[in-house]
Amino acid sequence: MRILLLGATGMVGSRIAVEALRRGHDVTAVSRSGRSPDSVHDTEPEAVLASVAADVTDREAVAQLAEGHDAVVSALAPPRDGSEPTQPFLAAYRSVIEGVREAGVGRLVVVGGAGSLEAAPGRELVDTPGFPTAYKPEARAHRDLLVLCRSVVDLDWTYISPAAEIAPGERTGRFRVGGDRLLTDTEGNSRISAEDYAVALVDELEQDAHPRTRICVAY
Ligand SMILES: NC(=O)c1ccc[n+]([C@@H]2O[C@H](COP(=O)([O-])OP(=O)(O)OC[C@H]3O[C@@H](n4cnc5c(N)ncnc54)[C@H](OP(=O)(O)O)[C@@H]3O)[C@@H](O)[C@H]2O)c1
């Protein structure tokens, strides 16, 4: 498979790059810096990595880059400089969606947020009392991105929410995949390593099991 990976140098994106390459998928890695994702040495010899500098707010650039790829994966993050993140995040994603459409690529997999998962009946995680204030703007930006994705009917998108906590860790290959409800372990924690999240995302790319749906991944 040929994958265009937006946000490939990030905490999550770089692990998706490693996972895709180790399974033999070619990856075009996009970020504004154009750096190669970290830790890509552990890859299948036949898989090709190309690193490209581009800004996804440039729709034409997205369209040109996406051409000839089988799928686009986006691991973009909202601005984290303290400014209001929702509008720029949605503008970037509108550009991505239009660019993907223009290129004729049918598949878009989005690295999502956990805040919009249902933590209690009728209550999203971001609206629960213990949700960290510092993460609320990013969680709300993601909630609106999910609404945007759900309005797209001509692409096979999948929005994959991680657990409430996602951080670099171990690749175990053992996790659960759910839907709109927050998954927690027996101790009430909602966790996933970025490596296992990447396994789940590449599984989804290979199996196309959840088109036009939000899923979540957690231990
Ligand atoms: N539990 C949760 O809900 C949870 C926790 C963590 C993360 N997340 C989500 O997971 C996603 C990835 O997070 P992360 O921590 O991996 O982010 P990150 O480390 O900040 O990586 C973001 C990536 O996007 C690239 N990028 C940003 N703006 C761009 C643009 N305009 N054009 C091209 N590339 C751009 C960055 O590279 P350049 O800066 O070089 O462009 C970088 O490669 C985010 O959407 C985040 O909200 C969710």
Side-chain angles (χ1 to χ4, degrees):
M1 191 181 287
R2 293 196 66 208
I3 300 165
L4 181 71
L5 175 57
L6 310 175
T9 58
M11 189 270 288
V12 179
S14 58
R15 284 158 180 90
I16 296 169
V18 169
E19 183 64 29
L21 288 163
R22 71 183 283 170
R23 296 204 209 174
H25 301 301
D26 293 345
V27 174
T28 306
V30 178
S31 64
R32 287 168 300 189
S33 73
R35 283 193 299 114
S36 276
D38 293 337
S39 318
V40 289
H41 50 273
D42 180 24
T43 58
E44 293 292 320
E46 71 268 28
V48 175
L49 171 72
S51 298
V52 181
D55 191 321
V56 301
T57 58
D58 180 346
R59 175 188 53 76
E60 280 178 28
V62 174
Q64 277 172 15
L65 282 167
E67 228 174 280
H69 289 81
D70 301 300
V72 175
V73 174
S74 175
L76 298 165
R80 289 169 169 161
D81 57 3
S83 62
E84 198 288 309
T86 298
Q87 291 316 317
F89 195 44
L90 292 183
Y93 264 98
R94 283 194 195 97
S95 170
V96 168
I97 290 165
E98 284 165 21
V100 169
R101 206 175 255 149
E102 210 171 297
V105 178
R107 186 77 170 120
L108 173 64
V109 178
V110 173
V111 175
S116 58
L117 290 166
E118 192 179 47
R123 180 167 284 200
E124 294 180 353
L125 182 63
V126 63
D127 296 326
T128 56
F131 194 87
T133 309
Y135 292 134
K136 281 190 181 181
E138 184 157 335
R140 290 182 181 132
H142 259 297
R143 175 156 66 187
D144 287 1
L145 173 60
L146 179 59
V147 172
L148 175 64
C149 288
R150 283 177 166 153
S151 73
V152 173
V153 294
D154 59 336
L155 299 177
D156 277 342
W157 57 268
T158 304
Y159 178 106
I160 309 183
S161 291
E165 287 173 42
I166 175 169
E170 217 187 314
R171 180 189 189 280
T172 69
R174 291 189 308 276
F175 46 79
R176 290 176 295 158
V177 175
D180 286 330
R181 284 181 56 193
L182 181 73
L183 293 177
T184 53
D185 62 22
T186 47
E187 284 153 19
N189 298 313
S190 174
R191 294 176 39 253
I192 190 76
S193 73
E195 285 75 5
D196 277 337
Y197 177 90
V199 173
L201 188 143
V202 179
D203 286 350
E204 178 60 31
L205 271 178
E206 291 179 345
Q207 295 160 17
D208 263 349
H210 302 93
R212 290 179 213 162
T213 310
R214 181 260 289 279
I215 58 172
C216 68
V217 186
Y219 294 127

Coordinates of all heavy atoms in Angstrom, one line a residue, residues 6-14 30-35 54-57 74-78 80 89 92-93 111-115 125 131 138-139 142 145 161-167 197, ligand 1:
L6 N 0.3 12.5 6.9 CA 0.4 13.9 7.3 C 0.7 14.0 8.8 O 0.1 13.3 9.6 CB -0.9 14.6 7.0 CG -1.4 14.4 5.6 CD1 -2.8 15.1 5.4 CD2 -0.4 15.0 4.5
G7 N 1.7 14.8 9.2 CA 2.1 14.9 10.6 C 3.0 13.7 11.0 O 2.9 13.2 12.2
A8 N 3.8 13.3 10.1 CA 4.6 12.1 10.2 C 5.7 12.2 11.3 O 6.3 11.2 11.6 CB 5.2 11.7 8.9
T9 N 6.1 13.4 11.7 CA 7.2 13.6 12.6 C 6.7 13.6 14.0 O 7.5 13.8 15.0 CB 8.0 14.8 12.3 OG1 7.2 16.0 12.3 CG2 8.7 14.7 10.9
G10 N 5.4 13.6 14.3 CA 4.9 13.8 15.6 C 5.0 12.6 16.5 O 5.4 11.5 16.1
M11 N 4.6 12.8 17.7 CA 4.6 11.7 18.7 C 3.8 10.4 18.2 O 4.3 9.3 18.2 CB 4.0 12.2 20.0 CG 4.2 11.2 21.2 SD 2.8 10.1 21.4 CE 1.5 11.1 22.0
V12 N 2.7 10.7 17.7 CA 1.8 9.6 17.2 C 2.3 9.2 15.7 O 2.5 8.1 15.3 CB 0.3 9.9 17.2 CG1 -0.5 8.7 16.6 CG2 -0.1 10.2 18.7
G13 N 2.4 10.3 14.9 CA 2.7 10.1 13.5 C 4.0 9.3 13.2 O 4.0 8.4 12.3
S14 N 5.0 9.5 14.0 CA 6.3 8.8 13.7 C 6.1 7.3 14.0 O 6.7 6.5 13.4 CB 7.4 9.4 14.6 OG 7.1 9.4 15.9
V30 N 4.9 13.6 5.6 CA 4.7 15.0 5.4 C 4.7 15.7 6.8 O 4.0 15.3 7.7 CB 3.4 15.3 4.7 CG1 3.2 16.8 4.6 CG2 3.3 14.6 3.3
S31 N 5.4 16.8 6.8 CA 5.4 17.8 8.0 C 5.9 19.1 7.4 O 6.4 19.1 6.3 CB 6.3 17.3 9.1 OG 7.6 17.3 8.7
R32 N 5.7 20.2 8.2 CA 6.2 21.4 7.7 C 7.8 21.4 7.7 O 8.4 22.0 6.8 CB 5.7 22.6 8.5 CG 4.2 22.9 8.3 CD 3.6 23.8 9.3 NE 3.7 23.2 10.6 CZ 3.2 23.6 11.7 NH1 2.4 24.7 11.7 NH2 3.3 23.0 12.9
S33 N 8.4 20.7 8.6 CA 9.8 20.7 8.6 C 10.4 19.8 7.5 O 11.5 20.0 7.1 CB 10.3 20.1 10.0 OG 10.1 18.7 10.1
G34 N 9.7 18.8 7.1 CA 10.2 17.8 6.1 C 11.2 16.8 6.7 O 11.8 16.1 5.9
R35 N 11.3 16.8 8.0 CA 12.3 15.8 8.6 C 11.8 14.4 8.4 O 10.6 14.1 8.2 CB 12.3 16.0 10.2 CG 13.1 17.2 10.6 CD 13.4 17.2 12.1 NE 12.1 17.2 12.9 CZ 11.7 16.2 13.7 NH1 12.4 15.1 13.7 NH2 10.6 16.3 14.4
A54 N 5.7 20.1 3.6 CA 4.6 20.8 3.0 C 3.7 21.2 4.2 O 3.7 20.7 5.3 CB 3.8 19.9 2.1
D55 N 2.9 22.3 3.9 CA 1.9 22.7 4.9 C 0.5 22.3 4.4 O 0.1 22.6 3.3 CB 2.0 24.3 5.0 CG 1.2 24.8 6.2 OD1 0.1 24.2 6.5 OD2 1.7 25.7 6.8
V56 N -0.2 21.5 5.3 CA -1.5 20.9 4.8 C -2.6 22.0 4.7 O -3.6 21.7 4.1 CB -2.0 19.9 5.8 CG1 -1.0 18.7 5.9 CG2 -2.3 20.4 7.1
T57 N -2.3 23.2 5.1 CA -3.3 24.2 4.9 C -3.3 24.7 3.4 O -4.2 25.4 3.0 CB -3.1 25.5 5.8 OG1 -1.8 26.0 5.5 CG2 -3.2 25.1 7.2
S74 N -3.9 11.0 8.6 CA -3.5 12.3 9.2 C -3.3 12.2 10.7 O -4.2 11.9 11.5 CB -4.6 13.3 8.9 OG -4.3 14.5 9.6
A75 N -2.1 12.6 11.1 CA -1.8 12.6 12.6 C -1.4 14.1 13.0 O -0.6 14.3 13.8 CB -0.6 11.7 12.9
L76 N -2.2 15.0 12.4 CA -1.9 16.4 12.7 C -2.4 16.8 14.1 O -3.4 16.1 14.6 CB -2.7 17.3 11.7 CG -2.3 17.1 10.2 CD1 -3.4 17.7 9.3 CD2 -1.0 17.7 9.9
A77 N -1.8 17.7 14.7 CA -2.2 18.2 16.0 C -2.8 19.6 15.9 O -2.3 20.4 15.0 CB -1.1 18.1 17.0
P78 N -3.7 20.0 16.7 CA -4.2 21.4 16.7 C -3.0 22.3 17.3 O -2.1 21.8 17.9 CB -5.3 21.4 17.7 CG -5.7 20.0 18.0 CD -4.4 19.2 17.7
R80 N -0.8 24.3 19.6 CA -0.7 24.1 21.1 C 0.0 25.3 21.7 O 0.8 25.1 22.7 CB 0.1 22.8 21.4 CG -0.8 21.6 21.1 CD 0.1 20.3 21.1 NE -0.8 19.1 21.1 CZ -0.3 17.9 20.7 NH1 1.0 17.8 20.4 NH2 -1.1 16.9 20.7
F89 N -7.6 24.4 13.3 CA -7.6 22.9 13.1 C -8.6 22.5 12.1 O -8.3 21.7 11.2 CB -7.9 22.3 14.5 CG -7.6 20.8 14.6 CD1 -6.4 20.3 14.1 CD2 -8.4 19.9 15.3 CE1 -6.1 18.9 14.3 CE2 -8.1 18.6 15.4 CZ -7.0 18.1 14.9
A92 N -7.5 23.5 8.6 CA -6.4 22.5 8.1 C -7.1 21.3 7.6 O -6.8 20.8 6.5 CB -5.4 22.2 9.2
Y93 N -8.1 20.8 8.4 CA -8.7 19.5 7.9 C -9.6 19.7 6.7 O -9.8 18.8 5.9 CB -9.5 18.9 9.1 CG -8.6 17.8 9.8 CD1 -7.9 18.1 10.9 CD2 -8.5 16.6 9.2 CE1 -7.0 17.1 11.4 CE2 -7.6 15.6 9.7 CZ -6.9 15.9 10.8 OH -6.1 14.9 11.4
V111 N -6.2 10.5 13.0 CA -5.8 10.3 14.4 C -6.7 11.3 15.2 O -6.6 12.5 15.1 CB -4.3 10.6 14.7 CG1 -4.0 10.5 16.2 CG2 -3.5 9.6 13.9
G112 N -7.6 10.7 16.0 CA -8.5 11.5 16.7 C -8.2 11.8 18.2 O -7.0 11.7 18.6
G113 N -9.2 12.3 18.9 CA -9.0 12.6 20.3 C -10.0 11.8 21.1 O -10.9 11.2 20.6
A114 N -9.7 11.7 22.4 CA -10.5 10.9 23.3 C -11.6 11.6 24.0 O -12.6 11.1 24.5 CB -9.6 10.3 24.4
G115 N -11.5 13.0 24.0 CA -12.5 13.8 24.7 C -13.9 13.7 24.3 O -14.8 13.9 25.2
L125 N -16.3 12.5 27.7 CA -15.1 12.6 28.6 C -14.7 14.1 28.9 O -14.4 14.4 30.1 CB -14.0 11.8 28.0 CG -12.7 11.8 28.9 CD1 -12.9 11.0 30.2 CD2 -11.6 11.1 28.1
F131 N -11.7 16.1 34.0 CA -10.9 16.3 32.7 C -10.0 17.5 32.9 O -10.4 18.6 33.3 CB -11.9 16.5 31.6 CG -11.2 16.3 30.2 CD1 -11.1 15.1 29.6 CD2 -10.6 17.5 29.6 CE1 -10.4 14.9 28.4 CE2 -10.0 17.3 28.4 CZ -9.9 16.1 27.8
E138 N -8.0 21.5 23.1 CA -7.7 20.5 22.1 C -8.8 19.5 22.0 O -9.1 19.0 20.8 CB -6.3 19.8 22.5 CG -5.8 18.9 21.4 CD -4.3 18.6 21.5 OE1 -3.6 19.5 22.0 OE2 -3.9 17.5 21.1
A139 N -9.3 19.1 23.1 CA -10.4 18.1 23.1 C -11.6 18.6 22.3 O -12.3 17.9 21.6 CB -10.8 17.6 24.5
H142 N -11.1 18.7 18.6 CA -11.3 17.3 18.1 C -12.8 16.9 18.0 O -13.2 16.2 17.1 CB -10.5 16.3 18.9 CG -9.2 15.9 18.3 ND1 -9.2 15.3 17.1 CD2 -7.9 16.1 18.7 CE1 -7.9 15.0 16.8 NE2 -7.1 15.5 17.7
L145 N -13.9 18.4 15.0 CA -13.3 17.6 13.8 C -14.1 16.4 13.5 O -14.4 16.0 12.4 CB -11.9 17.3 14.1 CG -11.2 16.4 13.0 CD1 -11.3 17.0 11.6 CD2 -9.8 16.0 13.4
S161 N -10.1 7.3 17.8 CA -9.8 8.0 19.1 C -8.9 7.1 19.9 O -9.1 5.9 20.0 CB -11.1 8.2 19.9 OG -11.9 9.1 19.4
P162 N -7.8 7.7 20.4 CA -7.0 6.9 21.3 C -7.7 6.8 22.7 O -8.7 7.4 22.9 CB -5.7 7.7 21.4 CG -6.1 9.1 21.2 CD -7.3 9.0 20.3
A163 N -7.1 6.0 23.6 CA -7.5 6.1 25.0 C -7.3 7.5 25.6 O -6.6 8.3 24.9 CB -6.7 5.0 25.8
A164 N -7.8 7.7 26.8 CA -7.6 9.0 27.4 C -6.1 9.3 27.5 O -5.7 10.5 27.4 CB -8.3 9.0 28.8
E165 N -5.3 8.3 27.8 CA -3.8 8.5 27.9 C -3.2 7.8 26.8 O -3.3 6.6 26.7 CB -3.3 8.0 29.2 CG -3.6 8.9 30.4 CD -3.2 8.2 31.7 OE1 -2.1 7.6 31.7 OE2 -4.0 8.2 32.7
I166 N -2.4 8.5 26.0 CA -1.6 7.9 24.9 C -0.2 8.5 25.1 O 0.0 9.7 25.1 CB -2.2 8.0 23.5 CG1 -1.2 7.4 22.5 CG2 -2.6 9.4 23.2 CD1 -1.8 7.3 21.1
A167 N 0.8 7.6 25.1 CA 2.2 8.0 25.3 C 3.1 7.0 24.7 O 2.7 5.8 24.5 CB 2.5 8.2 26.8
Y197 N -1.3 2.0 19.5 CA -2.2 2.8 18.7 C -1.9 2.7 17.2 O -2.8 2.5 16.4 CB -2.2 4.2 19.1 CG -3.1 5.1 18.3 CD1 -4.5 5.3 18.7 CD2 -2.7 5.7 17.2 CE1 -5.3 6.0 17.9 CE2 -3.6 6.4 16.4 CZ -4.9 6.6 16.8 OH -5.7 7.4 16.0
Ligands
LIG1 N1 -5.9 11.2 24.5 C1 -6.0 12.0 23.5 O1 -7.1 12.4 23.1 C2 -4.8 12.5 22.7 C3 -3.6 12.5 23.3 C4 -2.4 12.9 22.5 C5 -2.6 13.2 21.2 N2 -3.9 13.2 20.6 C6 -4.1 13.6 19.3 O2 -3.2 12.9 18.4 C7 -2.9 13.8 17.3 C8 -1.3 13.7 17.2 O3 -0.8 14.3 18.4 P1 0.8 14.3 18.6 O4 1.0 14.6 20.0 O5 1.4 13.2 17.9 O6 1.2 15.7 17.8 P2 2.6 16.3 17.5 O7 3.7 15.5 18.2 O8 2.5 17.8 17.8 O9 2.7 16.1 15.9 C9 2.0 16.9 15.0 C10 2.5 16.6 13.6 O10 1.8 17.4 12.7 C11 2.7 18.2 11.9 N3 2.0 19.4 11.5 C12 1.3 20.3 12.3 N4 0.8 21.3 11.6 C13 1.1 21.0 10.3 C14 0.7 21.6 9.0 N5 0.0 22.7 9.0 N6 1.2 21.0 7.9 C15 1.9 19.9 7.9 N7 2.2 19.3 9.0 C16 1.8 19.8 10.2 C17 3.9 18.4 12.8 O11 5.2 18.7 12.1 P3 5.6 20.2 11.8 O12 5.4 21.0 13.1 O13 7.0 20.1 11.3 O14 4.7 20.7 10.7 C18 4.0 17.0 13.4 O15 4.6 16.1 12.5 C19 -3.4 15.1 17.6 O16 -4.5 15.4 16.8 C20 -3.7 15.1 19.1 O17 -4.8 15.9 19.4 C21 -5.0 12.8 21.4

